[in-house]
């Protein structure tokens, strides 16, 4: 699949089949995430791959934005202590979050390329998820990505035309 085609095909999927996603495929998606750009090449990201159905359900209880019984989750996290040590305050306080966003987009595009559906979830109870995943204090959950085989293909939402979103050189 061509890059632009994957970008245009990616959807926020909120209904999944019961078919599991192979571990090797989930690892391939995380590998795609690891190839994202990273401020000062710090690469402070960590990715939790959650496939245990009981853990997925438990996380779902504390994530109002999640739905559709996904068979797997990829939890994109940043290691703020590592980012601070390797790149300083700007890496820890700004770049770590941006880097996880870039990595998450790579994950979702790679999933679309494999015919999988994803949805980026930011509405979750941080304290509960940290406890469920047994995360140390230096790790920040940036995003939860649902991953699975779509139960149906959502329609593409309308996009604003280029004339409404782009400007050349200066605002006016």
């Amino acid at each position: 699949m061509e890059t632009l085609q994957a970008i245009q095909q990616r959807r926020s999927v909120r209904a999944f089949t019961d078919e599991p996603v192979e571990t090797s495929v989930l690892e391939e998606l995380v590998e795609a995430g690891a190839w994202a750009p990273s401020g000062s090449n710090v690469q402070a990201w960590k990715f939790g791959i959650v496939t245990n159905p009981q853990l997925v359900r438990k996380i779902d209880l504390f994530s109002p934005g999640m739905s559709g019984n996904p068979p797997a989750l990829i939890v994109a996290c940043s290691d703020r202590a590592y980012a601070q040590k390797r790149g300083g305050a700007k890496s820890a306080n700004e770049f770590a979050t941006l880097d996880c966003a870039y990595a998450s987009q790579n994950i979702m595009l790679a999933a679309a390329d494999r015919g999988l559906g994803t949805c980026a979830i930011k509405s979750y109870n941080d304290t509960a998820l940290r406890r469920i995943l047994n995360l140390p204090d230096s790790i920040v959950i940036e995003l939860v990505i649902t991953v699975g085989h779509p139960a149906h293909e959502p329609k593409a939402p309308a996009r604003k035309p280029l004339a409404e979103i782009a400007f050349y050189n200066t605002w006016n």
Side-chain angles (χ1 to χ4, degrees):
M1 179 181 299
E2 296 294 322
T3 305
L4 187 57
Q5 185 181 8
I7 291 168
Q8 292 171 335
Q9 190 171 305
R10 192 218 57 81
R11 300 280 177 276
S12 293
V13 174
R14 290 183 169 84
F16 300 94
T17 68
D18 291 336
E19 184 180 350
V21 179
E22 294 178 27
T23 300
S24 62
V25 172
L26 292 167
E27 290 173 350
E28 179 184 300
L29 299 182
V30 169
E31 179 75 19
W35 281 97
S38 173
S40 301
N41 199 32
V42 170
Q43 301 178 51
W45 44 53
K46 300 286 184 190
F47 303 97
I49 300 171
V50 182
T51 57
N52 178 304
Q54 289 82 15
L55 276 181
V56 171
R57 278 195 296 279
K58 200 181 252 190
I59 290 170
D60 188 21
L61 291 173
F62 296 98
S63 305
M66 197 164 103
S67 61
N69 295 322
L73 305 173
I74 296 175
V75 184
C77 303
S78 60
D79 185 335
R80 297 298 177 91
Y82 178 79
Q84 176 74 36
K85 183 178 173 185
R86 288 276 321 275
K90 195 160 186 84
S91 285
N93 299 328
E94 292 180 45
F95 295 162
T97 298
L98 288 172
D99 293 352
C100 279
Y102 304 146
S104 295
Q105 180 71 357
N106 277 12
I107 288 167
M108 292 184 286
L109 290 175
D113 188 49
R114 301 274 311 200
L116 295 169
T118 58
C119 189
I121 309 297
K122 190 64 179 163
S123 59
Y124 51 79
N125 181 305
D126 188 74
T127 303
L129 266 61
R130 296 181 65 71
R131 192 169 292 140
I132 291 166
L133 298 170
N134 196 32
L135 297 176
D137 291 341
S138 67
I139 301 297
V140 173
I141 301 169
E142 302 288 359
L143 199 62
V144 176
I145 303 169
T146 59
V147 183
H149 299 273
H152 56 82
E153 292 295 326
K155 288 177 49 177
R159 297 292 180 201
K160 292 180 180 179
L162 192 61
E164 286 185 32
I165 62 171
F167 69 91
Y168 290 92
N169 303 315
T170 64
W171 192 260
N172 292 329

